[in-house]
């Protein structure tokens, strides 16, 4: 089954790319954009029919490789 | 003294490191990332570069490569491990060193000479070094060292900060911080001080006609300390 994972920077961790995007948007006329945080999205196809088992695998995958938990959080959706 | 430099796909300072180590008397061997055993070594070096194209996070894929378990075992048994630039990033990704190297604060690739101040010389890497301010070279996009407050406190309490970015006079201040690194940290040790990760490249400063020679001081001293 397919599992979707989103990895984002923890709040409080500096995100220079997000900041640059926000400033660019402001410059383009989107004056109402107050903050942008950039993240990563993964589509993972796991050879597993049991949803619970697939999500457990995904969690381990996130902890061991996809997210660096010093600065990043992950969400399995 | 025997050294080994690990080559990952995308390493690009591996041969510079080989030249530097040999120049100062190490018998160096190059080791491919897909090998599972290390040759007998007194020093393992993870070189600079862009292993795996910096995919996912700098150093994250290299940190899971086949040779790494041997490097971790070598380090945990007290062996000397040096990670320069991408090598430092790999060491943090393996968990051998604390923290993480984030993108530079100004979102620019920085390539220039800088100065570092040696903070702790009670270890094989810096013991008896002649100068405590060294001019070295940096070339990186992700050198902005970050760690949690608790980790920073334990780094400071255990004297694990190896080198700080500083001015030519040795003054550590915001002005001399090239990349936004927390507390101007340019390099750190593990608790036992047998693992050193740092962003600056000593191997680029071993010839006066090319750049400078403060890297020579580092390598000469390291070899002396190992003998």
């Amino acid at each position: 089954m397919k599992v979707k994972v989103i990895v984002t920077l923890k709040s409080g961790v500096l995100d220079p790319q997000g900041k640059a995007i926000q400033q660019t948007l402001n410059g383009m006329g989107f004056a109402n954009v107050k903050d942008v945080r950039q993240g990563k999205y993964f589509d993972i196809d796991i050879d597993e029919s049991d949803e619970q088992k697939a999500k457990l695998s995904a969690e381990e995958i996130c902890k061991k490789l996809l997210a660096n938990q010093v600065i990043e959080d992950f969400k399995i959706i | 003294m025997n050294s080994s430099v690990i080559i990952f796909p995308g390493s690009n300072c591996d041969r510079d490191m080989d030249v530097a180590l040999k120049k100062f008397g190490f018998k160096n061997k190059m080791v491919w990332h897909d090998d599972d055993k290390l040759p007998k070594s007194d020093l393992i070096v993870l070189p600079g570069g862009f292993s795996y194209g910096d995919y996912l996070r700098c150093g994250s894929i290299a940190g899971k490569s086949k040779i790494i378990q041997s490097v971790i075992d070598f380090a945990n048994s007290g062996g000397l491990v040096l990670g320069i630039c991408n090598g430092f990033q790999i060491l943090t990704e393996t968990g051998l060193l604390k923290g993480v190297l984030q993108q530079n604060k100004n979102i620019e690739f920085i390539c220039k000479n800088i100065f570092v101040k040696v903070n702790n010389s009670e270890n094989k890497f810096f013991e008896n070094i002649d100068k405590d301010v060294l001019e070295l070279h940096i070339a990186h996009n992700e050198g902005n060292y970050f760690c949690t407050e608790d980790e920073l406190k334990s780094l400071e309490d255990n004297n694990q900060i190896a080198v700080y970015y500083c001015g030519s006079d040795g003054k550590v201040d915001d002005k001399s911080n090239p990349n936004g690194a927390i507390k101007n940290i340019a390099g750190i040790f593990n608790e036992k001080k047998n693992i050193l990760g740092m962003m600056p490249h000593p191997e680029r400063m071993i010839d006066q006609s090319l750049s400078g020679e403060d890297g020579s001081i580092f390598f000469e001293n390291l070899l002396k300390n190992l003998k």
Side-chain angles (χ1 to χ4, degrees):
Chain A
M1 68 172 290
K2 289 206 169 165
V3 177
K4 299 176 196 309
V5 168
I6 292 178
V7 175
T8 50
L9 282 171
K10 287 184 174 171
S11 62
V13 174
L14 185 75
D15 179 8
Q17 288 192 74
K19 191 86 199 149
I21 295 166
Q22 179 229 322
Q23 285 167 352
T24 304
L25 288 170
N26 292 157
M28 288 165 72
F30 297 102
N32 53 358
V33 175
K34 282 164 63 186
D35 193 23
V36 176
R37 306 282 289 169
Q38 185 175 307
K40 292 172 190 155
Y41 169 78
F42 302 87
D43 252 335
I44 309 170
D45 197 353
I46 299 178
D47 190 8
E48 185 67 69
S49 48
D50 183 314
E51 189 182 334
Q52 209 50 37
K53 280 186 185 162
K55 289 202 166 168
L56 274 175
S57 287
E59 194 172 327
E60 215 180 326
I61 288 167
C62 289
K63 284 182 182 162
K64 289 193 172 163
L65 183 66
L66 299 186
N68 181 330
Q69 291 183 279
V70 179
I71 50 166
E72 293 171 327
D73 287 326
F74 64 86
K75 231 186 269 172
I76 298 164
I77 50 173
Chain B
M1 287 292 137
N2 296 305
S3 58
S4 299
V5 174
I6 318 280
I7 312 170
F8 301 96
S11 295
N12 68 1
C13 303
D14 46 325
R15 280 178 288 178
D16 293 33
M17 186 56 81
D18 180 55
V19 168
L21 289 165
K22 284 176 178 161
K23 180 172 180 179
F24 299 102
F26 282 92
K27 281 187 190 135
N28 188 53
K29 285 203 173 120
M30 305 304 274
V31 180
W32 186 234
H33 69 100
D34 211 25
D35 293 349
D36 50 10
K37 281 202 184 100
L38 290 166
K40 194 176 171 301
S41 311
D42 303 293
L43 170 73
I44 303 291
V45 183
L46 305 184
F50 302 84
S51 58
Y52 295 89
D54 284 347
Y55 293 172
L56 190 62
R57 291 178 309 276
C58 300
S60 63
I61 312 278
K64 308 291 176 203
S65 56
K66 209 167 164 187
I67 194 73
I68 284 297
Q69 193 52 51
S70 302
V71 175
I72 292 172
D73 293 343
F74 177 83
N76 286 340
S77 65
L80 230 54
V81 177
L82 171 65
I84 300 296
C85 196
N86 189 223
F88 184 12
Q89 294 163 343
I90 295 168
L91 287 173
T92 61
E93 281 289 344
T94 58
L96 285 171
L97 292 178
K98 283 179 184 157
V100 58
L101 282 312
Q102 281 194 280
Q103 187 175 37
N104 298 338
K105 199 174 173 184
N106 58 9
I107 341 180
E108 277 176 1
F109 187 93
I110 307 168
C111 181
K112 64 175 187 180
N113 285 6
I114 46 86
F115 291 91
V116 293
K117 186 172 176 57
V118 178
N119 179 54
N120 177 354
S121 52
E122 289 169 8
N123 52 76
K124 294 274 187 217
F125 295 100
F126 294 111
E127 199 174 4
N128 297 320
I129 197 155
D130 287 341
K131 283 167 87 174
D132 67 345
V133 176
L134 301 171
E135 184 177 12
L136 298 175
H137 190 81
I138 54 168
H140 60 241
N141 195 53
E142 283 84 8
N144 178 357
Y145 183 77
F146 177 84
C147 61
T148 63
E149 275 180 34
D150 290 346
E151 285 173 332
L152 181 63
K153 189 175 179 312
S154 87
L155 286 178
E156 285 176 332
D157 289 350
N158 298 320
N159 213 358
Q160 281 172 254
I161 299 169
V163 280
Y164 292 108
Y165 296 110
C166 66
S168 55
D169 56 357
K171 199 171 159 200
V172 178
D173 54 15
D174 282 349
K175 215 171 58 191
S176 53
N177 186 338
N179 52 26
I182 194 165
K183 295 260 178 168
N184 279 40
I185 290 174
I188 58 166
F189 300 110
N190 64 331
E191 238 172 277
K192 289 184 180 159
K193 325 284 188 301
N194 60 309
I195 308 173
L196 167 64
M198 63 177 181
M199 292 312 294
H201 292 264
E203 78 279 12
R204 293 191 184 182
M205 306 296 272
I206 58 160
D207 191 321
Q208 192 55 50
S209 61
L210 289 176
S211 45
E213 286 193 304
D214 281 3
S216 308
I217 297 173
F218 173 78
F219 286 108
E220 273 167 354
N221 189 63
L222 175 59
L223 186 70
K224 210 163 63 188
N225 289 342
L226 285 177
K227 273 182 179 165

